[in-house]
Amino acid sequence: MPPGTGDTQLSLSQNIPISGAVIVSTPQDIALLDARRGAEMFRKVEVPVLGLVQNMSVYVCPKCGHAEHIFGQDGAATIASDMGLSVLGDVPLHICIREGSDNGQPVVVSKPQSPQALAYRQIAEQVTEKLSSTPPIDPSPQSQHFSSSHKDGS
């Protein structure tokens, strides 16, 4: 879903059976506040939060190998720990991810042996493992109590 905790996310989570949510955030403090709100919203509507993914976690210079945490470091790990969640993985900031996406070729297809593709595969494995251990979702609309309390402003 798009980032946020607005009507779109609420409506979808209340009307479509969702097996679990993966919260994706950059390590920036302001983005992490939104990630925390998103995780709390999913918990309120009884959608299991499978964990967090830290996007743009590090930039590694292709010329010298220097690693720079442009957007901050370990922010997802901090809120995951606070919320009793796990970090499913870190996705680095790398031009091949952007270029592949822009060309319709995800990095797991365009550069399947790259460290960037490995990051995505590891996250997919973590999500698969979490989903296999999560109880099945009742297909009835979820958490009607949240919807009514949300509408009256409480």
Side-chain angles (χ1 to χ4, degrees), residues 79-147:
I79 69 163
S81 176
D82 291 349
M83 298 186 80
L85 298 169
S86 51
V87 175
L88 302 171
D90 292 317
V91 177
L93 178 62
H94 197 278
I95 195 163
C96 71
I97 297 172
R98 196 260 318 148
E99 288 175 341
S101 296
D102 286 351
N103 293 322
Q105 292 284 314
V107 72
V108 295
V109 173
S110 63
K111 297 182 184 273
Q113 302 306 317
S114 69
Q116 297 78 27
L118 177 61
Y120 281 106
R121 282 195 304 277
Q122 289 173 335
I123 292 166
E125 288 170 8
Q126 290 280 329
V127 170
T128 301
E129 184 179 310
K130 296 273 185 179
L131 285 171
S132 68
S133 64
T134 302
I137 299 297
D138 178 358
S140 62
Q142 299 171 356
S143 299
Q144 294 301 320
H145 66 278
F146 185 74
S147 177

